[in-house]
Amino acid sequence: MVRFLHTADWQIGMKAAHAGEKASAVRQKRFDAAGRVVELAREKDVDFVILAGDTFEHHNVDNAAVKRTVDILNRLDPIPVYVLPGNHDPMVPGGVWDRDAWERIGSHVTLLREPQEYRFDDGVALYACPLAQKQSGLDPTAWIPNREDDDRIRIGVAHGSLNILPGTVNFPIAGDRPERSGLDYLALGDWHGHRIVGRAVYPGTMEPTNFSEQGSGNVLVVEIDGAGAEPRIEACRVNALTWAALTPAISTADDVEALDAAIRSLGTPASLLLKVSPDLGGCTDGKALERLETLREEIRENAFFLEWTGPARPPVIGENQIPDGVLSQVDETLATILDSRIPGGPAHQFADRDPEVVRAARMLLHRLAGGRST
Amino acid sequence: MIVEEITIRNWRSYREPHTFRFDEGFNLLVGRNEAGKSTIFEAFTRVLFDRHTSAAEKIRQIQPLESSLAPEAAITFQVNGDRYRVWKRFLQDPAAQFSVWRNDHWELKHEGDRADGAVREILRGETPGRASQPEHRGLCQALWYLQGDAPLPEKAWAEGVKEGLSGFVSLVARSPEEDRILQRIEEGYKISYTPTGKVKSGSLPDHFQKKIPELERELQALHGRARGVEDLRQELEDLAEQQRLKAEALKAARTEVAALQHKLEEGAALEEEKRQREEIVQQADAAEKKVAGDRDAIDNRRRKIDESNKTLEENQREADDLQADVRMEQRAAEKHHETWKKTHEPVLRQVETELATLQAIERTRQFEEKAKDAQDQIERIQAVETELRHREHELSATPLPTKKDLETYREQKLQLATLRGQIEQAAIRIGFDLQVENTSITADPEAEHLTEDGEYLVLGPTTFTIGGVGTISVRGGGSSLEDLQANAQSLTASFASLFERFGVTEEQELYDLQQRRQDLEREIKQLKKALKDLTSEKGLEQLKDEATRIQQKIAGEKSRIGAAPPEWQHLSTDAIREMSEGRTAKKKELAKAIEHEQQKEAEARAAHDEALRKAQVASNRLIELRTQVRGLEQQNADALKSYGTYEHLQETLANETATHERAREDLEALRAEYKIRVEEPKAQYEDALGVVRDLEGQMQSVREKIIDRKARIEEAVSEDFYSRIGDLEASLMVVKRSLDQVTRQAEAVKLLHDMVQVFKKEQTTALAGPVAEQVNRWLMQLTDGSYDSVRMDENIFPVGVSNPQYNEALPLDCLSYGTHEQVIVLLRLAMGALLSNDERNLVVIDDRLVNADPIRMRRLCQILEEVATNHCQVVVATCNDTPYAGVRERTVIPVPGDGRAK
């Protein structure tokens, strides 16, 4: 029986620009997750660890990132670690694998440089499919020889897209590669969500990388009893942060409370990266809007990161009492322009203003009339 | 707002406290120039609008001169029926108090900055940065026309009018709610925009707008670095590919080298055999060459012998010819020699002799002539010398008076004449008039008769004997007459002596002698000059010597003449010359002929020497050749000794050649095999080694480049720009998003603001009507219809006045200064009137009507009275209250002069 930890797509050094001011913190969190992988590996007493590609986001990642990764992997000593170059960190001259920092990796770590068989022991063979470029239409697993009188546990290690989706993909891998080549397990990397397709398995990224990912934040502990045996796969969560994109429809204060509850259910605010785009199309409730604003400020204060975009649909302008006089004239003019009509008198000069600005101006006026500050 | 009273102290000229109280209507502040009228208004503005803690220069200027006193003032004023009092002290221990009149006493409400703020709020002014300016006075700037103000400070006026009219609008129509919202809009607008509608520097939109290019620039730079790294990686990849290809090539090359080496090892035995065969060939070749060499040498020598014999024959013929030439030249030289020596030379000698003789004759004649000339010269000189001697002798021997002698004589003569005259005058004249005729009279000594009548001049004691009668003794003229006479006698004696000296008896003779002297002297001078001329070139002795030499030469020449034909002596000079010339020509001819012959002789002798030399050479050559031939023959004989005969030699050569040929053929056969089995592989081996070395060099170069690129990549990425790019991209995204948000928000606020302004303006523009109406009515009243209206722009800014006669407005600048001021005063009064509907407001005119003529002043007084009675509190400062007599209801407030407060 062999037990190993299968992980991939650590994307160390990723820019995380979409995390705004938290980009740097997001990058740091990935090291924390990697640290938890080390702990898990020891805890589960695995025989070896497979890192199936995209360990680094790019060849140009900071030296500190490489050093820290080396340090983390060195902490796995003496557990052997097999690191596969992926499409983000392919095996190219001058790449991240040539960095001085990587030179300090321990001897327990094997960089799978060549497409060849690597023997873990007499009973386990790894068939490495390292990538030597960022893009290709060729199947990197094509070279794996078929099983012939081989009673060892055969594990393929590759990085690419299983050819089970329509359209052209980068480094397409035959969907039936395990069967075709007689592999007991095909340890894959590239997809960030955990997915099992027969014996071909994606662990997903150990720490989510954006709002649209599903099923990320795991590493897999895999047990295979022997050649041909069905692998037992346990997904273990190691992620530090939760990313969520929400577009709640807000009409009433209850909707706001529901949103609040939904956010809380995602986890502790300090671990949440939230992207919220409220749909205010049906909202006429000023109180609800007020509550929503309050909630926004609470979240902004407590969450790890909040991107609160403009409402998907703006609220209906309320029936606030605009005082007679100049202001009522202004309100009337704004309404006329929003109606795509040209206001009369000296206000005609404003007819061609940006409707978004006009709407915002009217909302502001009503907000002020409602007794609120700008 | 109206003012009740003001108390000022330590304020410019007001050192002691002084209080001025004002009426609700028309107040006339009267005081002399520099009395302190404007100071009062200054105190108004400073106390009401300046911060009590201000230490601006303008505030410091209100301190009394040369003091460090703290200026202070207190103003009591009313606004909306409430009474307020504000007191401020500036500079030294600044303080402020704001009090409200409540329940019949002043209740202190605020102190310090709060007091400043409270006043400002009531008067709706603005917080000044330093000393307050008109634009900080709020409504008051429209109504107060102070000395320090320009008539129409544009911006301030526009703001003040707007403020004033907006205040009016607010009084008429603004609700607190509207006010609040407008205030919020205005605040929101001011956060992001300047009053001119530009994005405010430092506002959020501005900040984000400026930030974006900064971030983009930095990002671009970092992307550039990333691209640089990618380029390096690309190079590295290319180099890696090169390395791989070269490694493959090197491997192939090394394999080839090994194979070739193996071949070479196999070919080693063949090498030795080839060497041996080559040796054999060499030996055969040497042997053949030796025999052939001998044969060739013999043949060469034979050929040389034949050639030498041929040459000998030729040289012999040549030598013979040369000998003939020698003889011939010898004969020619002798012949020429004889010709000039024996034929021409004697004739030449003869001619020369004759020529010499003729020349001697000629020269003799020349010398004789010269001798004669010299002799003549000598004689002339001698003659002159003789003559000169004679003259000199005569001059020295003959006593001749000099000029000086004659001058002395003439002087003495004059003296004598003078003396005589004196004597005559001093002398006694005595005349006898005798009755008896022919009576003799004698004098002793003789007396001079002066007249025929018998008057005698008695010069001294004289006794006259008158015949038969008696004698008369006359004593004389006295001592002086005696002196004169003595002198006269002396002079007379001197004359006699002179005459005697020169042997003359008459004066004329003296003159003649003197003339003779002069003549002699002149002649002597002339003779001396003539002598000098004659001896200028040569002196007498020289001439004599020369004459002697010439004689000697003559003698010498005569000796040469000697054997000449006698008839030659008698020939004329021309004939002699002609004969000389003939002889000379002949001599030249002969000399030329001799020279020619001598030349020819020399040439012949040179040719002879040359021929002799050549003959000698030819003879030597002959000897040499013969020796050479004998040597060659001997060598051949020696060479043939080892072979016997020449035929034997040929035979031996043939054998050696055959042997050599066979050895060569064997060698060639071996070489063909050697080439295939050893030579070619060797060359290939060398080439292959060369290729290997090249490839190794290239590999090294590629390795070095790879190391270099890797190092550069390492260096580049160690700058950690990747995460920085991420951070920048994130920041940029955030900033752009923020910019969108704040821009939209700001634009929304601006849109509200702009719309409010447009609608406000519409309102205020409408409200300008009443102001214009009021001003126009007064303008017509003031100018008696000359101007009937004020033209204002959209900011209610007066730009001109209308004359009913013309269509276009007359610009304010074109009005006289007085009329311009009056228009502005009317405008302020109109504003004041309009804004004083609910409560009276204070209008201040600080001495602005000084240029009004009496008629205008009268009309202005009517207007002022109307305003003061019906609308506003008016305070006018003037140094002359007389023009304001037209304002009947007025309060006159005297302003003390000279700064001494009462």
Side-chain angles (χ1 to χ4, degrees):
Chain A
M1 199 264 295
V2 69
R3 183 188 303 123
F4 60 90
L5 188 145
H6 172 203
T7 180
D9 300 293
W10 282 14
Q11 315 289 150
I12 296 292
M14 62 176 273
K15 292 180 196 169
H18 47 291
E21 64 274 13
K22 291 292 186 173
S24 178
V26 163
R27 288 197 286 271
Q28 297 307 312
K29 289 291 183 186
R30 304 196 76 75
F31 293 115
D32 297 344
R36 280 191 289 282
V37 171
V38 171
E39 289 161 13
L40 188 67
R42 291 198 179 285
E43 188 187 306
K44 295 292 184 178
D45 193 25
V46 299
D47 294 317
F48 56 85
V49 172
I50 293 175
L51 236 172
D54 287 359
T55 305
F56 297 103
E57 171 73 9
H58 192 277
H59 290 307
N60 290 343
V61 295
D62 298 353
N63 263 349
V66 178
K67 282 180 191 169
R68 227 167 138 188
T69 306
V70 164
D71 179 56
I72 289 168
L73 291 177
N74 282 346
R75 278 161 35 197
L76 280 165
D77 191 16
I79 302 173
V81 182
Y82 297 95
V83 180
L84 183 78
N87 66 306
H88 276 255
D89 50 8
M91 198 70 217
V92 295
V96 66
W97 310 114
D98 281 344
R99 298 273 279 273
D100 286 348
W102 184 257
E103 303 279 306
R104 282 148 182 78
I105 199 70
S107 57
H108 65 288
V109 176
T110 302
L111 182 64
L112 304 174
R113 295 173 183 270
E114 301 293 336
Q116 64 181 47
E117 181 186 299
Y118 288 83
R119 297 166 74 89
F120 168 65
D121 62 20
D122 292 339
V124 180
L126 275 68
Y127 294 90
C129 309
L131 303 186
Q133 57 205 65
K134 284 190 181 304
Q135 289 178 334
S136 174
L138 299 176
D139 183 346
T141 63
W143 76 272
I144 299 176
N146 296 337
R147 183 194 290 273
E148 286 179 29
D149 294 330
D150 186 357
D151 58 357
R152 296 174 299 175
I153 296 172
R154 288 157 59 96
I155 299 171
V157 185
H159 192 94
S161 275
L162 273 180
N163 215 352
I164 58 176
L165 298 171
T168 311
V169 294
N170 196 21
F171 289 106
I173 296 173
D176 59 350
R177 175 59 60 200
E179 291 74 28
R180 225 196 268 190
S181 300
L183 296 173
D184 297 298
Y185 186 85
L186 179 55
L188 293 173
D190 189 38
W191 291 0
H192 286 195
H194 171 40
R195 183 115 179 229
I196 301 175
V197 181
R199 290 176 185 258
V201 183
Y202 287 98
T205 177
M206 44 72 166
E207 183 64 55
T209 60
N210 62 49
F211 291 104
S212 60
E213 281 176 0
Q214 301 290 329
S216 55
N218 302 294
V219 298
L220 306 179
V221 176
V222 182
E223 289 179 345
I224 306 176
D225 290 332
E230 194 69 28
R232 289 188 294 280
I233 302 168
E234 180 192 354
C236 307
R237 290 202 75 79
V238 293
N239 63 305
L241 299 173
T242 302
W243 298 56
L246 306 166
T247 53
I250 303 293
S251 294
T252 63
D254 288 341
D255 293 333
V256 177
E257 298 310 323
L259 171 62
D260 188 10
I263 289 170
R264 285 180 200 287
S265 72
L266 292 171
T268 50
S271 70
L272 297 179
L273 285 95
L274 296 170
K275 188 168 165 182
V276 181
S277 278
D279 177 356
L280 303 176
C283 184
T284 57
D285 188 351
K287 290 265 184 280
L289 291 174
E290 239 180 84
R291 176 71 189 103
L292 187 64
E293 275 189 36
T294 308
L295 177 63
R296 183 184 70 186
E297 293 314 308
E298 283 171 10
I299 298 170
R300 197 185 296 285
E301 207 167 304
N302 297 315
F304 185 84
F305 171 77
L306 173 64
E307 184 187 322
W308 190 283
T309 57
R313 283 188 296 162
V316 171
I317 305 292
E319 294 298 327
N320 285 309
Q321 196 66 26
I322 306 295
D324 289 336
V326 165
L327 292 174
S328 65
Q329 284 179 289
V330 169
D331 185 45
E332 203 177 306
T333 304
L334 292 170
T336 304
I337 296 171
L338 284 173
D339 246 353
S340 304
R341 288 180 287 122
I342 298 174
H348 73 276
Q349 62 186 281
F350 301 108
D352 60 347
R353 293 299 168 94
D354 182 354
E356 289 299 319
V357 173
V358 173
R359 183 172 295 108
R362 195 159 184 235
M363 283 174 61
L364 173 61
L365 180 59
H366 280 258
R367 201 156 55 238
L368 291 173
R372 307 213 305 277
S373 68
T374 53
Chain B
M1 178 277 253
I2 62 172
V3 170
E4 289 184 10
E5 71 175 34
I6 181 168
T7 302
I8 53 179
R9 180 186 172 201
N10 295 333
W11 200 295
R12 291 191 191 269
S13 55
Y14 294 99
R15 286 190 184 244
E16 297 300 322
H18 202 95
T19 301
F20 298 91
R21 293 191 179 78
F22 300 92
D23 188 69
E24 280 187 4
F26 185 81
N27 299 273
L28 199 61
L29 267 176
V30 182
R32 292 181 300 170
N33 292 340
E34 306 295 328
K37 304 185 291 298
S38 299
T39 303
I40 297 169
F41 298 135
E42 183 188 47
F44 275 6
T45 57
R46 298 286 172 233
V47 169
L48 294 178
F49 300 111
D50 276 282
R51 293 174 291 120
H52 70 284
T53 51
S54 175
E57 185 56 31
K58 289 205 166 158
I59 301 294
R60 274 202 284 274
Q61 284 170 2
I62 64 179
Q63 260 181 335
L65 289 174
E66 294 178 359
S67 81
S68 58
L69 298 168
E72 56 180 273
I75 297 178
T76 307
F77 61 96
Q78 293 178 26
V79 177
N80 288 333
D82 291 323
R83 291 181 74 211
Y84 301 97
R85 183 191 172 97
V86 60
W87 168 84
K88 289 190 186 175
R89 184 171 59 222
F90 297 94
L91 300 174
Q92 302 296 332
D93 188 20
Q97 288 178 350
F98 178 81
S99 308
V100 179
W101 182 259
R102 290 264 186 273
N103 304 321
D104 298 331
H105 69 279
W106 287 107
E107 205 174 285
L108 178 65
K109 283 294 196 188
H110 302 288
E111 288 186 291
D113 291 340
R114 283 178 188 257
D116 291 340
V119 176
R120 211 174 293 123
E121 198 171 319
I122 286 176
L123 298 176
R124 300 194 62 186
E126 291 182 14
T127 308
R130 296 183 66 78
S132 69
Q133 298 294 326
E135 54 267 29
H136 300 121
R137 296 186 212 140
L139 177 62
C140 299
Q141 69 172 310
L143 306 184
W144 296 8
Y145 191 14
L146 305 181
Q147 276 299 322
D149 300 343
L152 291 175
E154 291 189 18
K155 183 180 163 188
W157 169 262
E159 292 302 318
V161 165
K162 281 184 198 168
E163 181 63 37
L165 291 182
S166 66
F168 179 72
V169 168
S170 74
L171 284 172
V172 169
R174 200 187 291 176
S175 67
E177 179 62 9
E178 190 180 11
D179 228 0
R180 183 187 64 77
I181 297 173
L182 287 172
Q183 180 82 5
R184 289 281 178 270
I185 292 171
E186 191 61 26
E187 283 167 7
Y189 176 77
K190 281 180 180 173
I191 286 171
S192 299
Y193 294 95
T194 64
T196 56
K198 290 194 169 29
V199 174
K200 204 170 185 175
S201 179
S203 63
L204 277 179
D206 177 63
H207 168 73
F208 289 135
Q209 272 170 355
K210 283 176 180 162
K211 193 83 182 138
I212 288 171
E214 277 175 30
L215 292 171
E216 284 173 342
R217 265 195 303 274
E218 198 180 339
L219 206 50
Q220 198 175 6
L222 291 174
H223 279 306
R225 264 192 256 173
R227 276 194 297 278
V229 172
E230 283 313 307
D231 290 341
L232 285 170
R233 281 211 187 93
Q234 183 60 47
E235 283 179 34
L236 205 52
E237 218 167 297
D238 295 339
L239 287 168
E241 179 62 15
Q242 275 183 43
Q243 191 179 43
R244 188 185 66 75
L245 293 170
K246 286 190 194 308
E248 281 176 12
L250 183 62
K251 189 175 168 187
R254 280 184 179 147
T255 306
E256 192 182 337
V257 164
L260 288 167
Q261 199 153 5
H262 181 68
K263 265 193 184 175
L264 288 175
E265 284 162 9
E266 287 175 356
L270 206 60
E271 186 88 39
E272 181 58 29
E273 194 180 332
K274 174 175 161 288
R275 194 192 60 76
Q276 285 171 1
R277 290 216 183 157
E278 277 173 349
E279 215 172 285
I280 293 169
V281 165
Q282 271 174 6
Q283 287 168 0
D285 182 48
E288 185 194 357
K289 274 187 176 140
K290 180 179 177 312
V291 176
D294 288 342
R295 198 251 345 244
D296 290 341
I298 290 170
D299 287 344
N300 279 343
R301 282 192 285 272
R302 280 186 174 177
R303 235 183 351 265
K304 275 188 183 166
I305 289 168
D306 291 339
E307 283 171 11
S308 296
N309 283 332
K310 205 183 274 180
T311 307
L312 261 171
E313 280 178 29
E314 286 171 8
N315 283 1
Q316 185 65 57
R317 276 197 299 277
E318 201 180 304
D320 292 340
D321 288 341
L322 285 169
Q323 287 296 336
D325 287 340
V326 167
R327 287 190 295 275
M328 189 180 70
E329 292 300 331
Q330 175 74 24
R331 277 200 295 279
E334 285 169 359
K335 182 180 160 211
H336 287 300
H337 180 79
E338 203 169 305
T339 301
W340 69 266
K341 188 79 178 172
K342 289 189 176 160
T343 307
H344 295 321
E345 209 170 59
V347 175
L348 178 67
R349 276 200 293 275
Q350 178 64 29
V351 168
E352 281 177 343
T353 303
E354 288 173 1
L355 183 62
T357 303
L358 287 167
Q359 285 173 343
I361 294 172
E362 206 172 343
R363 279 196 299 274
T364 302
R365 288 183 185 180
Q366 285 171 355
F367 286 138
E368 283 172 350
E369 212 166 301
K370 278 188 182 173
K372 184 172 175 304
D373 289 338
Q375 191 58 40
D376 286 343
Q377 184 77 351
I378 290 167
E379 285 171 3
R380 273 198 296 276
I381 290 170
Q382 286 174 342
V384 169
E385 280 181 347
T386 303
E387 188 67 25
L388 180 64
R389 276 198 302 276
H390 283 154
R391 292 288 183 278
E392 284 175 344
H393 178 71
E394 188 183 341
L395 186 65
S396 62
T398 310
L400 298 168
T402 65
K403 245 188 207 171
K404 190 168 169 51
D405 292 333
L406 279 182
E407 278 175 14
T408 304
Y409 170 75
R410 278 196 287 273
E411 281 174 16
Q412 287 176 346
K413 191 174 165 190
L414 193 63
Q415 281 178 6
L416 185 61
T418 303
L419 279 171
R420 282 189 176 151
Q422 286 173 347
I423 288 170
E424 199 170 299
Q425 282 181 359
I428 298 171
R429 293 170 190 262
I430 189 165
F432 296 96
D433 185 6
L434 300 176
Q435 295 296 321
V436 183
E437 289 182 5
N438 299 323
T439 307
S440 64
I441 301 170
T442 56
D444 182 27
E446 287 265 338
E448 191 178 332
H449 272 96
L450 291 178
T451 65
E452 288 177 356
D453 295 333
E455 230 178 41
Y456 294 91
L457 192 70
V458 178
L459 302 178
T462 305
T463 304
F464 289 94
T465 305
I466 302 170
V469 180
T471 60
I472 296 173
S473 295
V474 178
R475 292 197 186 269
S479 60
S480 62
L481 183 60
E482 286 175 3
D483 290 337
L484 288 171
Q485 281 181 332
N487 287 341
Q489 279 170 3
S490 171
L491 284 170
T492 305
S494 174
F495 291 151
S497 169
L498 186 71
F499 282 2
E500 193 181 347
R501 185 150 61 93
F502 293 111
V504 300
T505 54
E506 294 178 348
E507 183 179 297
Q508 185 58 46
E509 286 176 21
L510 198 66
Y511 280 110
D512 291 340
L513 285 178
Q514 203 277 325
Q515 182 64 44
R516 178 67 188 146
R517 172 178 277 275
Q518 283 184 357
D519 290 341
L520 279 173
E521 284 176 349
R522 186 175 59 252
E523 284 169 10
I524 287 168
K525 192 172 172 185
Q526 284 173 349
L527 285 169
K528 280 184 177 175
K529 185 173 181 305
L531 185 63
K532 190 174 173 187
D533 288 340
L534 285 170
T535 59
S536 64
E537 285 188 26
K538 293 179 188 166
L540 183 61
E541 291 308 315
Q542 272 182 307
L543 283 167
K544 284 181 178 171
D545 289 340
E546 189 180 322
T548 306
R549 280 198 302 277
I550 293 172
Q551 287 301 329
Q552 285 171 356
K553 283 183 182 173
I554 291 170
E557 292 298 330
K558 278 189 173 166
S559 71
R560 287 194 190 97
I561 293 171
E567 59 272 21
W568 282 16
Q569 302 273 3
H570 305 292
L571 287 172
S572 67
T573 306
D574 288 341
I576 297 287
R577 194 169 298 124
E578 196 180 324
M579 285 173 72
S580 296
E581 284 171 2
R583 295 302 184 283
T584 303
K586 182 91 172 136
K587 179 182 169 184
K588 274 187 187 168
E589 250 178 64
L590 285 168
K592 210 179 254 183
I594 289 169
E595 192 184 327
H596 176 74
E597 289 302 321
Q598 282 176 341
Q599 176 87 16
K600 287 289 182 196
E601 181 191 347
E603 284 172 5
R605 290 211 187 279
H608 167 264
D609 290 342
E610 181 62 19
L612 192 63
R613 188 188 63 77
K614 283 182 181 174
Q616 188 61 45
V617 166
S619 173
N620 291 341
R621 180 83 183 116
L622 282 172
I623 294 167
E624 203 180 291
L625 279 170
R626 286 193 189 102
T627 306
Q628 199 174 350
V629 165
R630 278 197 294 277
L632 287 171
E633 286 170 347
Q634 185 59 45
Q635 282 176 24
N636 277 354
D638 291 340
L640 279 173
K641 272 183 189 166
S642 48
Y643 297 101
T645 63
Y646 187 76
E647 289 69 28
H648 287 148
L649 171 67
Q650 297 275 55
E651 207 176 298
T652 307
L653 181 59
N655 292 337
E656 292 296 340
T657 304
T659 307
H660 184 218
E661 191 60 36
R662 279 194 299 278
R664 217 178 23 246
E665 280 170 10
D666 291 342
L667 181 60
E668 283 308 312
L670 186 67
R671 271 189 177 157
E673 192 185 343
Y674 181 80
K675 184 175 177 184
I676 295 167
R677 289 176 58 190
V678 175
E679 244 176 39
E680 283 174 359
K682 215 179 219 181
Q684 287 166 1
Y685 178 76
E686 287 304 319
D687 287 344
L689 268 184
V691 167
V692 165
R693 275 194 290 274
D694 275 343
L695 283 171
E696 282 173 350
Q698 288 169 20
M699 287 280 289
Q700 179 61 23
S701 169
V702 168
R703 263 197 296 276
E704 283 168 5
K705 284 180 184 171
I706 287 172
I707 291 169
D708 171 70
R709 299 303 181 271
K710 280 187 178 175
R712 285 160 67 178
I713 290 169
E714 188 69 34
E715 189 187 337
V717 296
S718 68
E719 290 170 11
D720 292 346
F721 59 82
Y722 189 76
S723 59
R724 180 76 189 126
I725 288 174
D727 291 340
L728 281 172
E729 284 173 352
S731 298
L732 192 61
M733 205 181 301
V734 166
V735 167
K736 282 184 173 170
R737 202 180 304 136
S738 303
L739 177 64
D740 285 341
Q741 281 173 8
V742 301
T743 302
R744 183 163 311 127
Q745 194 67 13
E747 284 178 353
V749 170
K750 185 173 186 297
L751 181 57
L752 289 179
H753 170 270
D754 291 346
M755 281 189 174
V756 164
Q757 294 309 310
V758 161
F759 288 122
K760 266 190 182 179
K761 191 176 166 185
E762 197 182 35
Q763 283 181 347
T764 55
T765 303
L767 283 168
V771 173
E773 203 181 304
Q774 184 66 280
V775 171
N776 293 346
R777 183 169 68 79
W778 284 336
L779 188 63
M780 280 190 61
Q781 182 182 342
L782 182 70
T783 63
D784 199 22
S786 297
Y787 302 119
D788 62 355
S789 63
V790 168
R791 293 285 176 94
M792 290 196 250
D793 63 11
E794 64 274 12
N795 292 317
I796 317 179
F797 188 79
V799 294
V801 293
S802 282
N803 187 315
Q805 290 181 16
Y806 306 107
N807 285 333
E808 288 182 10
L810 197 64
L812 279 185
D813 293 342
C814 295
L815 299 177
S816 69
Y817 188 72
T819 304
H820 191 160
E821 292 254 350
Q822 289 152 28
V823 169
I824 301 308
V825 166
L826 290 184
L827 211 49
R828 280 179 152 89
L829 289 174
M831 288 285 302
L834 196 65
L835 296 169
S836 299
N837 267 340
D838 292 334
E839 63 158 337
R840 295 172 85 80
N841 277 302
L842 170 63
V843 175
V844 175
I845 314 289
D846 189 357
D847 216 355
R848 291 295 203 171
L849 299 172
V850 294
N851 294 305
D853 60 57
I855 295 174
R856 287 264 177 105
M857 203 58 225
R858 188 160 44 81
R859 292 170 187 159
L860 277 166
C861 286
Q862 289 167 358
I863 294 166
L864 285 168
E865 184 159 30
E866 180 190 329
V867 170
T869 304
N870 300 328
H871 304 288
C872 304
Q873 180 187 38
V874 177
V875 177
V876 171
T878 182
C879 44
N880 181 11
D881 63 341
T882 305
Y884 293 93
V887 183
R888 287 165 298 192
E889 298 292 325
R890 64 181 190 277
T891 302
V892 177
I893 303 166
V895 177
D898 300 333
R900 295 192 192 89
K902 293 203 173 58

